[in-house]
Amino acid sequence: MKNSLGKQVTVYSTLALLLIFALFPLYWMVITSFKSNGEIYSMTPTFWPKEFLGTAYDKLINEKGFMTNIKNSLFVSLIVSLFSITVSMLAAYAISKLRFRGRNFISKSILYAYLMPRAVLFIPLYMLVTAIGINNSIYGLMLIYPTITIPYATWMLISYFRSIPDEIEEAAMIDGCSRIRTMTKIIFPLSAPGIAATFIFSFTLCWSEYLYALVVVTKGADKTITLGLSDMIVGDVFAWGPLMGGSIIASIPVIVMYLFTSKYMVSGMTVGGVK
């Protein structure tokens, strides 16, 4: 009994230390955003602000126009993620469930496309959006970002669709369902956890992307959050207060999305699906 209690104390103590270690950077960002510049640059660090000031957030909203950056990123990330997940669901279903020549080659090509370094692609992609006439706008990003998200989402969903037993689909077809109806009424609902997780990760990829945004967008009104945050660094001068405050604000939409979709991110929905 004592050994069991000792093990529990050790385990929970270790978990508590790891949790503190993981959350401390977030805590430091929050308190730094409320400190004065004098306290931030003080040689003696303080673990609690002497006075809570909203100067950093006021500068972000009223001077830097950071909320415009948030709206731009939110619009681009949602549109691109919805488009990407729709295309990827169809592509992943075809590759994982249909039998046709060249299926393995296409599957591997999708993986290779995702692994292609972005530093190699940004020049031809910039030439493309410039030729179309949508450079220096969020619409250029909406054209470029699917090159990142579609290969990633497709590869993720291929593995998930393959984990669904073929007997479920065969049983539905025996009952008279067409291929499309089986796909939309059986496979996709059973794959809801994988689709939700893939959507979140695709959204996060767009939300945190910096290189393509830096190359394509230079107009302040169309800048995303990553560019808005980078604008707070001028040479070797860091506006730590607004920078930390902006980072906190930028993390809120992703955290909210994870909270609302966490109930779908479970496994084993196909257990018992076939009698």
Side-chain angles (χ1 to χ4, degrees):
M1 188 71 177
K2 291 183 179 180
N3 291 335
S4 177
L5 180 61
K7 289 181 180 179
Q8 290 183 359
V9 171
T10 302
V11 169
Y12 285 115
S13 299
T14 304
L15 291 176
L17 290 174
L18 292 175
L19 183 63
I20 293 172
F21 181 78
L23 293 180
F24 183 77
L26 181 61
Y27 165 77
W28 193 258
M29 288 170 60
V30 173
I31 64 170
T32 300
S33 67
F34 288 104
K35 291 180 179 179
S36 63
N37 286 332
E39 190 173 358
I40 291 174
Y41 290 102
S42 175
M43 296 298 294
T44 303
T46 56
F47 292 91
W48 191 256
K50 298 177 181 178
E51 182 182 1
F52 279 86
L53 301 175
T55 308
Y57 293 94
D58 180 68
K59 186 175 182 178
L60 276 173
I61 297 173
N62 297 323
E63 295 183 23
K64 298 293 185 179
F66 193 68
M67 297 310 296
T68 301
N69 304 142
I70 292 287
K71 292 177 182 177
N72 292 337
S73 288
L74 192 61
F75 177 74
V76 172
S77 300
L78 283 176
I79 296 298
V80 172
S81 298
L82 289 172
F83 173 75
S84 299
I85 203 70
T86 302
V87 174
S88 299
M89 287 165 60
L90 300 175
Y93 176 82
I95 294 173
S96 61
K97 294 297 183 181
L98 303 182
R99 301 293 182 267
F100 57 91
R101 183 176 298 177
R103 184 180 65 159
N104 292 332
F105 173 77
I106 294 174
S107 178
K108 292 179 181 178
S109 298
I110 291 172
L111 176 62
Y112 297 152
Y114 174 69
L115 296 177
M116 185 70 68
R118 299 179 192 177
V120 176
L121 297 176
F122 76 86
I123 294 178
L125 289 174
Y126 178 77
M127 294 173 64
L128 173 64
V129 297
T130 302
I132 298 175
I134 55 175
N135 61 310
N136 202 20
S137 71
I138 58 176
Y139 299 106
L141 297 180
M142 292 171 63
L143 179 64
I144 291 176
Y145 282 174
T147 63
I148 308 171
T149 54
I150 289 179
Y152 167 80
T154 302
W155 183 255
M156 292 288 291
L157 291 177
I158 286 174
S159 300
Y160 202 90
F161 288 168
R162 283 177 177 171
S163 68
I164 298 177
D166 293 335
E167 290 79 4
I168 294 179
E169 196 171 11
E170 293 170 358
M173 290 183 177
I174 292 174
D175 289 338
C177 287
S178 63
R179 174 70 70 176
I180 295 178
R181 186 174 179 83
T182 302
M183 178 179 63
T184 56
K185 299 296 184 180
I186 305 296
I187 302 300
F188 289 169
L190 288 174
S191 305
I195 294 172
T198 305
F199 175 83
I200 293 173
F201 293 140
S202 299
F203 180 90
T204 306
L205 283 175
C206 297
W207 187 260
S208 59
E209 203 285 321
Y210 176 71
L211 179 61
Y212 290 155
L214 178 65
V215 173
V216 174
V217 179
T218 58
K219 186 169 59 176
D222 285 343
K223 287 186 176 182
T224 57
I225 55 168
T226 52
L227 298 181
L229 290 173
S230 66
D231 285 345
M232 298 176 198
I233 303 174
V234 181
D236 58 348
V237 178
F238 292 76
W240 286 116
L243 192 60
M244 295 296 102
S247 300
I248 294 296
I249 295 175
S251 64
I252 291 176
V254 178
I255 293 174
V256 171
M257 182 169 291
Y258 270 90
L259 290 176
F260 276 97
T261 57
S262 60
K263 61 181 179 180
Y264 297 107
M265 300 179 67
V266 294
S267 60
M269 289 187 67
T270 61
V271 176
V274 179
K275 295 182 180 179

